[in-house]
Amino acid sequence: EYMIREAEPGLAEWVVGGALIEDHGQSSPRMQVSVMAKRASSSGLVIWPNTKVVSIVVRGDRVAGVETSDRSVDCDLVVLAAGVHSPEVLLGTDLNLPVKPQKGHVIETEPTQGPPRFFIQDGRYEAAAVSARDAGVHSPAATVLQHRPSGEILIGSSRDFSGFNVEIDPVRSME
């Protein structure tokens, strides 16, 4: 029997249980796209960074090309890496990508050694975010801690489905 205090000795006394999911992970979308772009380039793929995609050309049920702000490209395959802006790129097609922007209130510490050893997430975090997303409202605050490979600890508390609003809400940031 693996006890929670053995896994994370620094947890508060009121924490009475948890689930250890050993293969749990997260990725940084920006870092992931950067790595994918480098690998694709080294395989001969042509990438035009910072090029505005005006539209994706679809013929029948297949992608046939891309219209950018400065060129037209015929192709059989498109890697859409526009993040939350992907639905905008797909306007005018029958393609649908259900992506919604969200913002969270996070703090990142200076690099440190030591706890936490594992990704720690309040059990309410995912459930609250899903119900908030579906209702189009703010999720209740629920803590998540992530020790990054570079040593920083990311501390998060909320997810707000408020479109592209980047304003900091002082009340939400203190929850």
Side-chain angles (χ1 to χ4, degrees):
E1 183 175 294
Y2 192 73
M3 303 305 285
I4 194 162
R5 299 272 172 249
E6 292 173 38
E8 291 292 352
L11 289 174
E13 289 300 316
W14 57 264
V15 176
V16 295
L20 177 61
I21 305 169
E22 302 214 23
D23 60 354
H24 181 273
Q26 285 191 317
S27 68
S28 159
R30 289 181 186 166
M31 188 180 297
Q32 187 172 351
V33 168
S34 174
V35 169
M36 289 169 58
K38 286 177 186 171
R39 289 184 180 170
S41 292
S42 69
S43 298
L45 204 74
V46 178
I47 297 175
W48 297 296
N50 304 311
T51 301
K52 181 174 175 68
V53 173
V54 176
S55 66
I56 294 179
V57 179
V58 177
R59 288 192 190 99
D61 63 348
R62 305 280 309 169
V63 169
V66 175
E67 294 289 331
T68 74
S69 52
D70 59 353
R71 65 178 62 95
S72 294
V73 182
D74 291 330
C75 60
D76 297 322
L77 179 67
V78 171
V79 176
L80 181 56
V84 295
H85 296 283
S86 296
E88 297 168 35
V89 176
L90 297 174
L91 287 176
T93 71
D94 289 333
L95 304 171
N96 179 35
L97 188 59
V99 177
K100 294 180 181 181
Q102 68 177 346
K103 73 176 177 182
H105 295 85
V106 299
I107 297 171
E108 190 169 272
T109 69
E110 293 291 324
T112 181
Q113 297 297 318
R117 292 175 37 212
F118 298 98
F119 179 87
I120 299 175
Q121 178 174 301
D122 181 325
R124 301 168 294 174
Y125 189 73
E126 291 299 329
V130 169
S131 15
R133 180 201 63 215
D134 292 346
V137 298
H138 299 313
S139 66
T143 306
V144 59
L145 299 172
Q146 178 184 12
H147 202 158
R148 299 196 175 208
S150 52
E152 296 92 353
I153 298 174
L154 180 129
I155 306 164
S157 69
S158 63
R159 291 187 194 174
D160 294 343
F161 295 91
S162 52
F164 290 97
N165 176 355
V166 295
E167 297 296 317
I168 296 172
D169 180 340
V171 174
R172 291 287 288 165
S173 64
M174 298 303 291
E175 290 181 335

